[in-house]
Amino acid sequence: MSDLFASSEASPPVRLFDASPFDVIPAFADVEPGDAQRWSTWPAVTPSERGPLPWPAWVVTSAGALDTELGILKTGKEADVFLLERAVPDDPAQRTLLAAKRYRDSDHSSFHRSGVYTEGRTTRNTRDARALARKSEHGRAVAAAQWSFAEFQALCRMWELGAPVPYPVQVSGSEVLMEFIGHADGTAAPRLAQVRADGAQLGGLYDQIVDLMRVFASAGFAHGDLSAYNLLVHEGRVRVIDLPQIVDIVANPQGLDLLHRDCVNICEWFTRRRVERDAEELFAEMLAAS
Ligand SMILES: Nc1ncnc2c1ncn2[C@@H]1O[C@H](COP(=O)(O)OP(=O)(O)OP(=O)(O)O)[C@@H](O)[C@H]1O
Ligand SMILES: [Mg+2]
């Protein structure tokens, strides 16, 4: 496990914060991060890189906390998701599990999100824009960080609107830290695709998905990559994840097509499980909500 933090080093954060152990607080003076550990990165990020206020009570903000890598949840096409414990040593009240989603730079990514998602997005910093165009090492790090910031901002926005997304704790460089959806023992919630449920239960899950799609649509957004793999089911409640590509239904020329595709993906999945749902009806409902 000792080199598990290596993947974040492979795509260096674009903004370099000093994440060294700050001025050591006397109470923690004898604590040193061990293998697969680092000091909590919370003190090193700016307020805009922290999740929406009020912070949930479980968010550990102490500068004396350690981040411990507990394992990998999933390696994906363009990011890997790790299970992380953030805890103050010897203080059980300040211990929480987080999901750390780390974007790879494009050299280490086997999948490139289509340009349709990014149409109209601009890069304000000209040095970054040039680096992106050149695809230099800095440019690749900028690209990875852009996805992590895009996902963090989308999570914040949807959280504030009351959509059932994991609470976004913080973003730093190419890493997004968010609420871990799963059990306290570190078992992650299954994706909808893995859930065994009868017709009535599936019907209830479908209704929850329509509700969350309506929250997105009312704010003018479509998820853009909605599927049974980007929905987690925890204790009967649906959470939607994987948001970096959310699309503005009106401003993005492909917005309506992507919203339609989300509707088709979801309805086909349920219909294959004999819970027949009509994609066109759902699409019409989302248009009315938007
Ligand atoms: N907050 C979370 N809590 C628990 N598990 C999570 C969380 N976020 C992600 N995961 C797990 O990691 C997987 C990948 O996450 P996500 O879909 O965001 O990344 P991805 O890179 O798009 O992956 P993929 O290429 O498989 O779509 C999820 O399917 C889920 O199993
Ligand atoms: Mg995904």
PDB file of all heavy atoms in Angstrom, residues 116-128:
ATOM      1  N   VAL A 116     -17.882  17.515 -26.901  1.00  0.00           N
ATOM      2  CA  VAL A 116     -19.246  18.061 -26.817  1.00  0.00           C
ATOM      3  C   VAL A 116     -19.518  18.601 -25.420  1.00  0.00           C
ATOM      4  O   VAL A 116     -20.290  19.532 -25.252  1.00  0.00           O
ATOM      5  CB  VAL A 116     -20.362  17.044 -27.182  1.00  0.00           C
ATOM      6  CG1 VAL A 116     -20.224  16.569 -28.599  1.00  0.00           C
ATOM      7  CG2 VAL A 116     -20.441  15.897 -26.208  1.00  0.00           C
ATOM      8  N   TYR A 117     -18.892  18.017 -24.413  1.00  0.00           N
ATOM      9  CA  TYR A 117     -19.163  18.463 -23.054  1.00  0.00           C
ATOM     10  C   TYR A 117     -18.556  19.817 -22.750  1.00  0.00           C
ATOM     11  O   TYR A 117     -19.028  20.552 -21.917  1.00  0.00           O
ATOM     12  CB  TYR A 117     -18.599  17.469 -22.043  1.00  0.00           C
ATOM     13  CG  TYR A 117     -19.279  16.125 -22.071  1.00  0.00           C
ATOM     14  CD1 TYR A 117     -18.561  14.982 -22.375  1.00  0.00           C
ATOM     15  CD2 TYR A 117     -20.629  16.005 -21.774  1.00  0.00           C
ATOM     16  CE1 TYR A 117     -19.174  13.735 -22.382  1.00  0.00           C
ATOM     17  CE2 TYR A 117     -21.251  14.760 -21.777  1.00  0.00           C
ATOM     18  CZ  TYR A 117     -20.513  13.636 -22.088  1.00  0.00           C
ATOM     19  OH  TYR A 117     -21.114  12.423 -22.089  1.00  0.00           O
ATOM     20  N   THR A 118     -17.415  20.094 -23.392  1.00  0.00           N
ATOM     21  CA  THR A 118     -16.651  21.276 -23.003  1.00  0.00           C
ATOM     22  C   THR A 118     -16.895  22.462 -23.916  1.00  0.00           C
ATOM     23  O   THR A 118     -16.349  23.529 -23.691  1.00  0.00           O
ATOM     24  CB  THR A 118     -15.140  20.964 -22.976  1.00  0.00           C
ATOM     25  OG1 THR A 118     -14.813  20.307 -24.191  1.00  0.00           O
ATOM     26  CG2 THR A 118     -14.776  20.085 -21.805  1.00  0.00           C
ATOM     27  N   GLU A 119     -17.731  22.299 -24.933  1.00  0.00           N
ATOM     28  CA  GLU A 119     -18.011  23.414 -25.826  1.00  0.00           C
ATOM     29  C   GLU A 119     -18.438  24.630 -25.018  1.00  0.00           C
ATOM     30  O   GLU A 119     -19.286  24.533 -24.148  1.00  0.00           O
ATOM     31  CB  GLU A 119     -19.149  23.044 -26.794  1.00  0.00           C
ATOM     32  CG  GLU A 119     -18.616  22.463 -28.093  1.00  0.00           C
ATOM     33  CD  GLU A 119     -19.739  22.075 -29.040  1.00  0.00           C
ATOM     34  OE1 GLU A 119     -20.417  22.982 -29.528  1.00  0.00           O
ATOM     35  OE2 GLU A 119     -19.909  20.870 -29.266  1.00  0.00           O
ATOM     36  N   GLY A 120     -17.827  25.756 -25.331  1.00  0.00           N
ATOM     37  CA  GLY A 120     -18.230  26.978 -24.640  1.00  0.00           C
ATOM     38  C   GLY A 120     -17.496  27.211 -23.334  1.00  0.00           C
ATOM     39  O   GLY A 120     -17.593  28.276 -22.767  1.00  0.00           O
ATOM     40  N   ARG A 121     -16.756  26.193 -22.851  1.00  0.00           N
ATOM     41  CA  ARG A 121     -15.993  26.436 -21.628  1.00  0.00           C
ATOM     42  C   ARG A 121     -14.725  27.199 -21.957  1.00  0.00           C
ATOM     43  O   ARG A 121     -14.088  26.938 -22.971  1.00  0.00           O
ATOM     44  CB  ARG A 121     -15.572  25.106 -20.989  1.00  0.00           C
ATOM     45  CG  ARG A 121     -16.496  24.715 -19.883  1.00  0.00           C
ATOM     46  CD  ARG A 121     -15.916  23.520 -19.164  1.00  0.00           C
ATOM     47  NE  ARG A 121     -17.014  22.657 -18.745  1.00  0.00           N
ATOM     48  CZ  ARG A 121     -16.862  21.439 -18.285  1.00  0.00           C
ATOM     49  NH1 ARG A 121     -15.675  20.922 -18.173  1.00  0.00           N
ATOM     50  NH2 ARG A 121     -17.901  20.726 -17.928  1.00  0.00           N
ATOM     51  N   THR A 122     -14.303  28.106 -21.108  1.00  0.00           N
ATOM     52  CA  THR A 122     -13.101  28.868 -21.410  1.00  0.00           C
ATOM     53  C   THR A 122     -12.055  28.670 -20.318  1.00  0.00           C
ATOM     54  O   THR A 122     -12.379  28.320 -19.192  1.00  0.00           O
ATOM     55  CB  THR A 122     -13.401  30.373 -21.495  1.00  0.00           C
ATOM     56  OG1 THR A 122     -14.080  30.751 -20.303  1.00  0.00           O
ATOM     57  CG2 THR A 122     -14.253  30.710 -22.698  1.00  0.00           C
ATOM     58  N   THR A 123     -10.832  28.888 -20.684  1.00  0.00           N
ATOM     59  CA  THR A 123      -9.732  28.841 -19.721  1.00  0.00           C
ATOM     60  C   THR A 123      -9.239  30.260 -19.537  1.00  0.00           C
ATOM     61  O   THR A 123      -8.785  30.880 -20.487  1.00  0.00           O
ATOM     62  CB  THR A 123      -8.599  27.944 -20.267  1.00  0.00           C
ATOM     63  OG1 THR A 123      -9.149  26.656 -20.491  1.00  0.00           O
ATOM     64  CG2 THR A 123      -7.449  27.835 -19.305  1.00  0.00           C
ATOM     65  N   ARG A 124      -9.392  30.773 -18.327  1.00  0.00           N
ATOM     66  CA  ARG A 124      -9.104  32.194 -18.113  1.00  0.00           C
ATOM     67  C   ARG A 124      -7.601  32.492 -18.117  1.00  0.00           C
ATOM     68  O   ARG A 124      -7.170  33.507 -18.589  1.00  0.00           O
ATOM     69  CB  ARG A 124      -9.740  32.665 -16.793  1.00  0.00           C
ATOM     70  CG  ARG A 124     -11.003  33.454 -17.088  1.00  0.00           C
ATOM     71  CD  ARG A 124     -11.575  34.021 -15.820  1.00  0.00           C
ATOM     72  NE  ARG A 124     -12.810  33.349 -15.504  1.00  0.00           N
ATOM     73  CZ  ARG A 124     -13.114  32.847 -14.315  1.00  0.00           C
ATOM     74  NH1 ARG A 124     -12.268  32.940 -13.328  1.00  0.00           N
ATOM     75  NH2 ARG A 124     -14.255  32.250 -14.113  1.00  0.00           N
ATOM     76  N   ASN A 125      -6.841  31.543 -17.587  1.00  0.00           N
ATOM     77  CA  ASN A 125      -5.412  31.786 -17.463  1.00  0.00           C
ATOM     78  C   ASN A 125      -4.725  31.483 -18.811  1.00  0.00           C
ATOM     79  O   ASN A 125      -4.784  30.373 -19.311  1.00  0.00           O
ATOM     80  CB  ASN A 125      -4.908  30.862 -16.349  1.00  0.00           C
ATOM     81  CG  ASN A 125      -3.425  30.967 -16.127  1.00  0.00           C
ATOM     82  OD1 ASN A 125      -2.662  31.106 -17.076  1.00  0.00           O
ATOM     83  ND2 ASN A 125      -3.012  30.890 -14.880  1.00  0.00           N
ATOM     84  N   THR A 126      -4.090  32.495 -19.386  1.00  0.00           N
ATOM     85  CA  THR A 126      -3.544  32.303 -20.744  1.00  0.00           C
ATOM     86  C   THR A 126      -2.368  31.329 -20.753  1.00  0.00           C
ATOM     87  O   THR A 126      -2.185  30.587 -21.711  1.00  0.00           O
ATOM     88  CB  THR A 126      -3.087  33.633 -21.365  1.00  0.00           C
ATOM     89  OG1 THR A 126      -2.262  34.285 -20.426  1.00  0.00           O
ATOM     90  CG2 THR A 126      -4.254  34.493 -21.758  1.00  0.00           C
ATOM     91  N   ARG A 127      -1.609  31.313 -19.652  1.00  0.00           N
ATOM     92  CA  ARG A 127      -0.509  30.353 -19.610  1.00  0.00           C
ATOM     93  C   ARG A 127      -1.083  28.933 -19.635  1.00  0.00           C
ATOM     94  O   ARG A 127      -0.606  28.062 -20.360  1.00  0.00           O
ATOM     95  CB  ARG A 127       0.322  30.555 -18.335  1.00  0.00           C
ATOM     96  CG  ARG A 127       1.414  29.505 -18.204  1.00  0.00           C
ATOM     97  CD  ARG A 127       2.390  29.759 -17.063  1.00  0.00           C
ATOM     98  NE  ARG A 127       3.276  28.606 -16.939  1.00  0.00           N
ATOM     99  CZ  ARG A 127       3.194  27.716 -15.955  1.00  0.00           C
ATOM    100  NH1 ARG A 127       2.284  27.833 -15.019  1.00  0.00           N
ATOM    101  NH2 ARG A 127       4.035  26.702 -15.928  1.00  0.00           N
ATOM    102  N   ASP A 128      -2.149  28.723 -18.876  1.00  0.00           N
ATOM    103  CA  ASP A 128      -2.792  27.410 -18.872  1.00  0.00           C
ATOM    104  C   ASP A 128      -3.368  27.083 -20.242  1.00  0.00           C
ATOM    105  O   ASP A 128      -3.269  25.955 -20.722  1.00  0.00           O
ATOM    106  CB  ASP A 128      -3.907  27.370 -17.820  1.00  0.00           C
ATOM    107  CG  ASP A 128      -3.353  27.328 -16.398  1.00  0.00           C
ATOM    108  OD1 ASP A 128      -2.118  27.169 -16.255  1.00  0.00           O
ATOM    109  OD2 ASP A 128      -4.145  27.474 -15.456  1.00  0.00           O
TER     110      ASP A 128
END
